[in-house]
Amino acid sequence: MNTNQIAHIAGLVGEPARTAMLMALMDGRALTARELADAGHITAQTASRHLALLVEAGLLRLERQGRHRYHRLASADVARVLEGLMQLAVQQPAPQAAARRVVVGPRDAALRTARTCYDHIAGRLGIAITEHLLDEGAMAFDGDAGGNVTAQAAPVLQRLGIDAAAHAAGGGKRPHCRPCLDWSERRMHVAGKLGAMICSHCLHEGWLLRRADSRALEITPGGAVALRNWLGHARWNAVAGH
């Protein structure tokens, strides 16, 4: 294992402006250099240098569409590392000079209710979905790193309007499901192909809406009905904070 390479990547992630830009991409979207410069509170010229380093290190992927250039996280593995760092960060005590109580605002509450973790759902909604899938026997986690989708997944997903055959289709090395530690709930939510499919379905149906300036997901009235019917009232009340 190349310890110099590990240190290099850690140094890239650890620079505050680069950290802010990486966090802005944690909802799975692709953003322009200008948008990422705004996220990092730096100039476009400075952002371009930072982004070039992140692309070179394999943390970001550059995509071109005509005259436009977009950046996105290079893979789900990168997102998983960033989510792990976020989990570690919230466990650390505040510095003495900044130890005064921080008032949690509406944006924080929204993030804790439902947000994107790269391409799957996190927050209370992500936990509720995961617990429902586990209770229904649709999947099983194997420790903190792996998981398996069972035959029971088909009828469980069908009740949400998802064709289980679509989940079974497709290759690739990405696991069908795996646990991902939720930094706000301190419990596991489901990631992998299954987590991505459920998130994509909810967005496609208009049950969840992305916010332009946040990873928070807005649950629409139609989404509240559909998800409540699928999860059950008790679990839905936990999502809604009742």
Side-chain angles (χ1 to χ4, degrees), residues 83-106:
E83 187 78 5
L85 290 173
M86 292 168 64
Q87 170 65 24
L88 289 174
V90 298
Q91 293 178 4
Q92 301 302 311
Q96 193 66 31
R100 67 181 183 275
R101 183 175 181 271
V102 177
V103 177
V104 178

Side-chain angles (χ1 to χ4, degrees), residues 3 18 93 114 162 168 173 231 239:
T3 55
R18 289 194 287 261
I162 297 176
K173 297 180 179 179
L231 294 170
V239 173

Side-chain angles (χ1 to χ4, degrees), residues 26-231:
M26 275 293 287
D27 62 1
R29 289 180 294 177
L31 298 177
T32 66
R34 176 72 266 176
E35 291 167 329
L36 290 168
D38 291 341
H41 303 290
I42 53 178
T43 66
Q45 183 177 6
T46 301
S48 294
R49 293 198 296 270
H50 285 315
L51 292 170
L53 291 171
L54 294 170
V55 170
E56 182 182 7
L59 298 176
L60 295 185
R61 185 170 74 245
L62 179 63
E63 299 177 349
R64 292 180 172 86
Q65 291 187 7
R67 295 179 301 149
H68 302 288
R69 305 198 326 165
Y70 298 89
H71 295 81
R72 68 168 68 246
L73 295 184
S75 68
D77 288 336
V78 175
R80 186 177 185 182
V81 169
L82 293 173
E83 187 78 5
L85 290 173
M86 292 168 64
Q87 170 65 24
L88 289 174
V90 298
Q91 293 178 4
Q92 301 302 311
Q96 193 66 31
R100 67 181 183 275
R101 183 175 181 271
V102 177
V103 177
V104 178
R107 181 172 178 177
D108 292 314
L111 284 170
R112 282 166 168 77
T113 300
R115 66 181 183 277
T116 48
C117 177
Y118 187 53
D119 60 359
H120 54 274
I121 301 170
R124 290 197 300 269
L125 178 57
I127 297 299
I129 289 171
T130 301
E131 291 179 343
H132 181 66
L133 292 170
L134 291 170
D135 287 351
E136 292 292 316
M139 66 176 188
F141 286 153
D142 181 14
D144 293 339
N148 297 287
V149 177
T150 72
Q152 187 59 28
V156 173
L157 294 173
Q158 186 62 47
R159 290 196 290 272
L160 193 62
I162 297 176
D163 182 4
H167 174 260
K173 297 180 179 179
R174 191 177 186 189
H176 286 290
C177 75
R178 64 168 180 81
C180 180
L181 188 59
D182 196 291
W183 64 263
S184 62
E185 298 301 306
R186 311 296 177 88
R187 288 181 284 170
M188 298 294 184
H189 59 243
V190 62
K193 293 179 181 178
L194 178 59
M197 181 181 59
I198 292 173
C199 181
S200 177
H201 179 73
C202 291
L203 289 168
H204 181 267
E205 293 295 319
W207 298 340
L208 300 176
L209 298 178
R210 296 183 187 272
R211 296 189 177 188
D213 59 346
S214 172
R215 291 170 58 200
L217 292 168
E218 178 183 347
I219 304 173
T220 65
V225 173
L227 291 168
R228 183 184 65 225
N229 290 342
W230 186 60
L231 294 170

